[in-house]
Amino acid sequence: MNRPLLTALGFSLFATNAAWAASPDAALSDRPASERIGITVSLDAEWMPVSDGGARLFSEKDTNDAQGISAAFDVKRIGQRGTLAVGLGILDDDSTSIFAAAHRASLDLDNYYATASYRFAVRPWLQPYVSVAGGGTHAAMTLRLNDETTLDDHRSSHWSVFGRASLGLRLATPTIRQARGSLPPFGFAFLVEYGFQAGSALALRADPPSASDAKIREDKLPVAGVALGTLSRTFPFFRLGFALLF
Amino acid sequence: MKLLATTGLVSGIFLLACSPADQRYAQPFRLSGPVALESSVAYVESSSATLFMIDPAAATLRARRVLVGQDPLLPVRRAQHDEMMVLCRGERGQPGVPQESPSLRLVPADETKPVRVVPLGTRFNTLSQSDDGRFVLAHSGPTQGDLTADLLLNPNEIAIVDMDAPTPKAVSRTVRSFGSVPLGVTFSGELNLPEGPRRLAVVRSQGYVTIIDLTNPTRTEITVPLLLPDDRRVVTPTKVIFESKDKEPTIFVLASGADDIYALRLVAVPAAERSADGNDFRPVLSQLGAGRGPADMAIFGAEGQPRLLVVSAGSQDAYVIDARSSRSTRIQLEAPANRIYLFEDTSPAQPTKSLPRALLTGIGTEARVVSFLDLDQIEDLKQRNLETSRPLAAPATDLRLFPLRGAAVLSHQGKGIGIGLSVIDLRRRSISPLGSQSLPGVVEAPAPSDKLWIAANPGAGGIQDSTGQTIGYRVAFLSLGDLSGKEVRVDAPVQQILPLGRSRDMRSRVILTHPSPVGYLTVLDGESPDRTTARSLQGFLLDDLLERGVK
């Protein structure tokens, strides 16, 4: 089992225990969540299949994973049980692999996005939702060649944009209120989401290493790097999240 | 808790449903080359069965990729053609990998011309070709490839391809064996044979040679043992030359382990004696004495008067042999020689007469002199036609002859003496030593360039700044016209120098290759080499890697 899954499940277990037993003053309330101010902060873990053959350069696995954090704010109530929320998030997807039996390829993807979601409280604790998101991905690629003749790593960085649509389920605990009132009412939620991302492909290059010293860098002969090709950023994804609700 | 457990279970199924890891990038790069074409350079990467061709004249340096057959083994330039030949051993098949027959791939440098495929029936591992690139012979050589990888291998099977045919096809056959395997092949030019001018191939094997009619490859081959059946000596043919001007051409065979030169005169077979698929000629063997340990031979002389010049390092002499009468003339040398370089030029004694002459050297021996032999009237004037040079700074390890420029360049072995090269003026017979930091390799640029390129030994040539940091490496060139030497600083150690001919922009270029697991080269201007006009390409093996994978 991989790191993000363990993180998500571990965090969920911890948080559930914390909700029940963290403070002797804490008491569960069956009052509606509307008492809260409508801010959601979530730790997210995400998995997506490696559908692009080129991505095998950076990952030997068939599934990539990413971890991140997101925050959303309930901006509008729609009807009795509907809520419209907007938010921001960041998702970090790092992968490293050995290629050609000797060399190391790393791809560090930082995804920045904004979301808008509509959720509907079937029950106070059961809230299905739909979500759309848009953002950009910054990719930093490194090829470290395992050879004594190699001067340095081949690196390059790129941007791509993406849009997402997903369906999810938010399972929320009742509101927790502290008797002494030192904290605002809060709750926890567990999020399960499945969706699809469509993104512009990353056009990766292997640019030769350049010297850090400007004088040496200017003295070097002009060197052409090579285009590695494109990496698709369109895929389905599966997300788990643990959220703190205020 | 139940909810968490359920979610965890679903996630686990999502992850475990994945198939085994994809191995497309697992294979290591296996790079062969570089091979210099007329104005481009080529490499073959075996794991991806891809030929990379780089045109240094292109505005943007980039490798053109051409897929070749599986398990490409031998990339070579087709002689006299701007075309690569790649011997591909094919794929014998495994789960998920389809079988592919062995083939010879012909990839023109001009990307508008199609790649040609000549199917081969056998997984050969060696290619030999005629000097003009017309005939190619695929066979199983003694050193190339893993011969034990095949369940069954016939090392005496060969395939002959006539590249000038509209659709080249491989004609396979097995040459008669007396226990050895083909060691190499020598191709003749046009020979005057009874049925008309034709070309032959002579396959060299230990103890015998095999003559094959290239124009009629299905005709029976002729095997000529070099020893009598009860002779237990080990005789290995090392050089074959052809005397083609005579009405009855002769094949001369030089062999290690033998003090004789083997002469095979090709005489006509009377029509009445010929079998259905027999040859129109047969060899008549004679042995020519040539001192002790003959090491090199060459043919000279006017039409109808061919002479064989032989140097014998063991007895420190040279022999001029009349190929018809077998009469030989011995010339005693001052130092043993094992290489003959023929040229035609003037000499200090005959400043106006350009006549055939020979430069005789002892490469890899302790000899510290070279000999000039004037071949005109050699049988009459004998020793008087010999001139020995003044002592060299050190014994020679290599010699390159540049007859059109009237020069030869000797590389020296002299460790610690600070001299790595000497330039011999063939007309004046003077020797100019050149200083060098290390023992360099010498590469000649194609005409009309007059430059010799000189690479330092691996590990030498680094330039340090005042702090001891390496800031570059040097490569040197020598203009033969005025013997002026210059250097160019580049950014990485130089592995190989490949001077190219003129590109379509009528400029020549020089490729320097640098050590790198992903390909690294620098392009210099051939006419005016200078750092300011140099540019590099790095990592071309990675070109489009995401789209194609390694395997």
Side-chain angles (χ1 to χ4, degrees):
Chain A
M1 195 168 295
N2 57 15
R3 185 161 53 91
L5 186 60
L6 282 172
T7 306
L9 291 179
F11 218 105
S12 302
L13 286 169
F14 168 78
T16 307
N17 282 329
W20 288 96
S23 166
D25 298 331
L28 287 176
S29 167
D30 56 359
R31 292 181 186 178
S34 58
E35 285 189 4
R36 298 194 294 259
I37 57 177
I39 291 177
T40 303
V41 178
S42 173
L43 292 175
D44 307 312
E46 198 169 290
W47 293 266
M48 61 289 287
V50 178
S51 52
D52 185 327
R56 303 288 182 181
L57 181 65
F58 307 102
S59 175
E60 291 169 358
K61 297 177 293 184
D62 289 301
T63 310
N64 265 350
D65 51 65
Q67 309 81 45
I69 188 166
S70 59
F73 181 63
D74 295 346
V75 291
K76 189 176 183 183
R77 288 203 168 274
I78 300 172
Q80 287 294 311
R81 292 189 282 182
T83 305
L84 183 66
V86 294
L88 296 170
I90 182 170
L91 206 56
D92 180 44
D93 174 359
D94 296 346
S95 47
T96 298
S97 183
I98 300 294
F99 74 99
H103 316 299
R104 184 175 295 274
S106 304
L107 186 65
D108 183 2
L109 301 172
D110 292 324
N111 303 278
Y112 306 96
Y113 59 91
T115 62
S117 65
Y118 172 75
R119 68 175 185 273
F120 184 81
V122 179
R123 296 280 186 274
W125 56 274
L126 182 65
Q127 300 168 6
Y129 64 90
V130 293
S131 175
V132 291
T137 299
H138 178 257
M141 188 215 67
T142 304
L143 298 180
R144 174 159 294 177
L145 305 178
N146 180 22
D147 187 276
E148 60 184 17
T149 61
T150 301
L151 304 175
D152 210 341
D153 299 341
H154 290 241
R155 295 173 187 275
S156 64
S157 62
H158 317 267
W159 277 96
S160 81
V161 294
F162 65 85
R164 288 180 152 203
S166 56
L167 290 171
L169 193 62
R170 182 164 114 161
L171 305 168
T173 64
T175 301
I176 300 168
R177 295 168 58 83
Q178 286 204 313
R180 287 198 290 265
S182 57
L183 285 174
F186 68 98
F188 295 103
F190 188 71
L191 309 170
V192 183
E193 188 175 319
Y194 188 82
F196 194 81
Q197 170 172 309
S200 62
L202 284 167
L204 299 182
R205 291 186 57 78
D207 290 326
S210 69
S212 53
D213 185 325
K215 191 175 157 190
I216 294 176
R217 195 167 56 241
E218 284 167 17
D219 177 64
K220 293 282 183 190
L221 295 174
V223 187
V226 297
L228 280 181
T230 57
L231 205 59
S232 169
R233 296 297 297 157
T234 298
F235 45 78
F237 64 89
F238 174 73
R239 170 184 279 217
L240 293 179
F242 175 75
L244 192 57
L245 313 175
F246 295 103
Chain B
M1 284 304 292
K2 189 184 284 186
L3 182 64
L4 282 175
T6 306
T7 308
L9 185 65
V10 170
S11 305
I13 291 168
F14 184 85
L15 294 173
L16 292 173
C18 303
S19 57
D22 192 319
Q23 296 293 308
R24 76 180 63 197
Y25 294 106
Q27 295 295 318
F29 291 131
R30 292 185 290 142
L31 196 62
S32 305
V35 178
L37 290 155
E38 183 60 32
S39 60
S40 57
V41 65
Y43 289 83
V44 166
E45 203 286 294
S46 299
S47 294
S48 59
T50 305
L51 184 140
F52 292 81
M53 201 172 280
I54 299 152
D55 177 6
T60 303
L61 280 181
R62 192 180 176 188
R64 173 165 72 98
R65 287 180 291 110
V66 180
L67 282 178
V68 293
Q70 291 299 316
D71 197 7
L73 191 65
L74 266 181
V76 292
R77 179 182 176 178
R78 187 180 164 206
Q80 306 290 325
H81 292 76
D82 200 13
E83 186 172 50
M84 284 293 297
M85 293 196 298
V86 186
L87 179 61
C88 303
R89 284 162 57 83
E91 170 60 55
R92 287 182 289 176
Q94 51 183 296
V97 181
Q99 192 172 345
E100 182 186 294
S101 299
S103 61
L104 180 64
R105 307 281 170 134
L106 298 151
V107 185
D110 183 351
E111 60 186 308
T112 61
K113 293 181 179 171
V115 175
R116 293 184 291 168
V117 181
V118 181
L120 300 172
T122 300
R123 288 160 49 84
F124 297 110
N125 60 21
T126 303
L127 283 181
S128 300
Q129 59 174 319
S130 56
D131 289 344
D132 60 355
R134 176 179 171 184
F135 292 103
V136 172
L137 204 146
H139 56 103
S140 298
T143 55
Q144 293 281 347
D146 181 8
L147 297 182
T148 61
D150 292 294
L151 181 62
L152 181 65
L153 172 77
N154 174 5
N156 286 293
E157 184 181 356
I158 61 171
I160 302 165
V161 185
D162 182 352
M163 293 295 184
D164 280 3
T167 308
K169 285 181 183 166
V171 178
S172 289
R173 60 185 302 162
T174 295
V175 294
R176 193 179 299 117
S177 173
F178 289 110
S180 181
V181 298
L183 303 174
V185 184
T186 307
F187 296 83
S188 77
E190 292 271 305
L191 298 178
N192 293 318
L193 295 169
E195 282 184 355
R198 292 203 305 286
R199 300 178 65 177
L200 305 179
V202 176
V203 181
R204 305 189 304 276
S205 306
Q206 191 173 297
Y208 57 93
V209 293
T210 305
I211 304 168
I212 298 168
D213 186 339
L214 291 169
T215 311
N216 304 287
T218 56
R219 285 187 180 173
T220 311
E221 77 273 19
I222 301 170
T223 308
V224 183
L226 302 178
L227 294 171
L228 295 171
D230 57 350
D231 193 334
R232 297 292 172 225
R233 284 182 297 158
V234 176
V235 170
T236 306
T238 54
K239 184 170 184 177
V240 174
I241 55 177
F242 301 86
E243 193 290 298
S244 56
K245 293 175 184 169
D246 213 342
K247 260 193 257 176
E248 288 182 337
T250 305
I251 302 171
F252 296 99
V253 180
L254 176 74
S256 66
D259 285 340
D260 292 333
I261 301 294
Y262 298 88
L264 309 173
R265 178 175 288 272
L266 305 181
V267 301
V269 175
E273 296 177 19
R274 287 184 61 184
S275 59
D277 205 17
N279 293 287
D280 56 329
F281 63 90
R282 67 164 170 251
V284 177
L285 174 67
S286 58
Q287 291 176 248
L288 310 173
R292 200 168 65 247
D296 198 6
M297 62 181 179
I299 288 178
F300 69 97
E303 192 166 347
Q305 298 176 315
R307 296 289 185 271
L308 189 66
L309 175 63
V310 182
V311 287
S312 299
S315 49
Q316 203 171 305
D317 46 23
Y319 284 84
V320 177
I321 304 170
D322 183 334
R324 285 186 168 176
S325 67
S326 299
R327 185 170 64 92
S328 67
T329 304
R330 178 173 177 264
I331 315 287
Q332 179 69 44
L333 304 178
E334 283 190 25
N338 57 16
R339 296 282 191 283
I340 298 172
Y341 301 89
L342 295 181
F343 63 98
E344 195 164 316
D345 216 323
T346 60
S347 72
Q350 297 168 308
T352 58
K353 281 189 178 177
S354 187
L355 294 169
R357 306 175 200 278
L359 179 63
L360 312 178
T361 63
I363 301 297
T365 70
E366 290 303 311
R368 283 179 173 254
V369 293
V370 296
S371 305
F372 296 93
L373 198 59
D374 297 328
L375 299 176
D376 185 47
Q377 302 180 62
I378 180 73
E379 285 159 311
D380 299 328
L381 299 173
K382 298 179 182 172
Q383 208 72 26
R384 279 175 285 172
N385 273 19
L386 177 72
E387 182 181 339
T388 304
S389 73
R390 285 179 297 144
L392 302 168
T397 55
D398 191 22
L399 186 142
R400 302 291 180 97
L401 186 72
F402 306 101
L404 295 176
R405 295 160 191 158
V409 176
L410 270 172
S411 301
H412 293 299
Q413 196 180 0
K415 288 177 183 169
I417 60 170
I419 295 175
L421 292 174
S422 289
V423 179
I424 302 172
D425 186 325
L426 297 175
R427 290 167 196 144
R428 296 176 186 167
R429 298 189 176 174
S430 60
I431 298 178
S432 307
L434 299 176
S436 178
Q437 281 182 333
S438 61
L439 299 175
V442 178
V443 185
E444 180 192 12
S449 170
D450 71 338
K451 291 181 179 59
L452 289 183
W453 286 85
I454 297 159
N457 277 348
I463 310 163
Q464 271 86 36
D465 64 7
S466 56
T467 64
Q469 186 183 2
T470 300
I471 54 169
Y473 298 82
R474 296 196 197 282
V475 62
F477 63 91
L478 177 74
S479 296
L480 282 173
D482 56 5
L483 292 188
S484 62
K486 287 182 182 167
E487 293 179 336
V488 179
R489 180 167 61 92
V490 292
D491 292 344
V494 177
Q495 266 185 329
Q496 276 185 271
I497 303 177
L498 304 168
L500 305 177
R502 286 186 168 168
S503 295
R504 55 189 176 278
D505 60 359
M506 297 310 291
R507 293 197 71 81
S508 64
R509 288 172 178 83
V510 177
I511 303 284
L512 311 178
T513 67
H514 310 294
S516 166
V518 292
Y520 183 10
L521 55 82
T522 295
V523 181
L524 298 178
D525 188 294
E527 271 95 37
S528 308
D530 191 79
R531 184 174 173 80
T532 56
T533 54
R535 55 184 181 150
S536 298
L537 173 63
Q538 197 167 350
F540 56 82
L541 279 191
L542 303 172
D543 190 64
D544 239 6
L545 189 63
L546 296 177
E547 311 296 336
R548 60 191 169 90
V550 171
K551 187 161 189 178

